[in-house]
Amino acid sequence: MSGKVTQMIKEEDVDSRIKELAAKIDEDYKGEEIFIVCILRGAAFFACELVKRIKAPVTIDFMQVSSYGAGTVSSGEVKIIKDIDLSVRDKNVIIVEDIVDTGNTLSTLRDIFEHRKSKSVKICSLLDKPDRREVEVDIDYVGFSVPDKFIVGYGLDWDQRYRNLPYIGVVET
């Protein structure tokens, strides 16, 4: 693996934006219970920081899906590796993702949770890469819009590396 990581979004800016997103979620749900579905592994860092700042009652569960493997470009095929353990029936679901690029994963997951009779389904993503969109998907809560570059840090990885960077960076190859 070769390549240098250049900081794109500072840790302080990420933290500040997460606080803003949590406040907006609280405002939108006005104390109603929220069911957070964290998409592993990348969104774990973001979801933990987000949930700590939400004042409304929160339940959290985890789902692992894959559309990348070891590559740097989405394969387009969404594979559920680990499903959630709890029922989302009649719950306000917020799917928490690290980054939305093609939209394939989030479009599929939204359909799954609607089919499971959730009261509502919203999407919250730390990052949005709109130039890569193949499937239109509404993202209700977006941290930052980023260019079509390979992004790492703050949970996002390159073949399982760089997740632990406290900032969001770009891999320069």
Side-chain angles (χ1 to χ4, degrees):
M1 178 182 317
S2 63
K4 177 183 158 211
V5 177
T6 303
Q7 181 174 288
M8 185 173 69
I9 304 171
K10 296 186 301 189
E11 179 179 11
E12 298 80 21
D13 294 338
V14 174
D15 187 56
S16 177
R17 185 66 182 132
I18 292 171
K19 288 177 186 171
E20 292 170 3
L21 291 171
K24 177 67 174 141
I25 289 168
D26 276 327
E27 178 185 317
D28 290 353
Y29 286 93
K30 297 179 184 13
E32 284 187 57
E33 188 171 337
I34 302 166
F35 191 111
I36 299 287
V37 176
C38 172
I39 306 303
L40 295 172
R41 298 181 183 137
F45 290 70
F46 173 47
C48 288
E49 294 301 317
L50 180 69
V51 167
K52 286 190 322 189
R53 291 163 174 83
I54 294 173
K55 293 177 176 62
V58 174
T59 300
I60 188 168
D61 204 345
F62 301 87
M63 182 177 223
Q64 187 173 6
V65 299
S66 177
S67 65
Y68 279 88
T72 60
V73 178
S74 175
S75 67
E77 178 185 335
V78 178
K79 178 179 164 188
I80 295 177
I81 297 166
K82 183 224 175 286
D83 205 343
I84 59 173
D85 296 320
L86 304 171
S87 171
V88 294
R89 184 178 204 82
D90 300 322
K91 307 277 191 215
N92 292 310
V93 172
I94 299 177
I95 303 168
V96 176
E97 181 63 290
D98 55 2
I99 190 166
V100 180
D101 55 16
T102 65
N104 289 313
T105 300
L106 274 289
S107 176
T108 299
L109 292 178
R110 183 186 295 270
D111 290 347
I112 287 170
F113 290 113
E114 287 174 353
H115 180 75
R116 292 179 182 179
K117 309 284 190 229
S118 299
K119 179 177 178 181
S120 66
V121 181
K122 292 192 177 184
I123 296 170
C124 179
S125 184
L126 178 60
L127 304 173
D128 181 24
K129 198 185 288 186
D131 292 342
R132 298 260 305 133
R133 201 74 85 241
E134 294 174 4
V135 176
E136 199 52 47
V137 60
D138 290 328
I139 308 167
D140 304 280
Y141 308 99
V142 177
F144 302 91
S145 185
V146 294
D148 187 12
K149 305 226 182 242
F150 198 77
I151 311 292
V152 294
Y154 213 90
L156 289 95
D157 73 299
W158 181 9
D159 200 17
Q160 302 305 321
R161 299 191 60 178
Y162 302 117
R163 286 189 197 280
N164 61 321
L165 295 176
Y167 57 85
I168 295 169
V170 176
V171 176
E172 309 287 340
T173 54

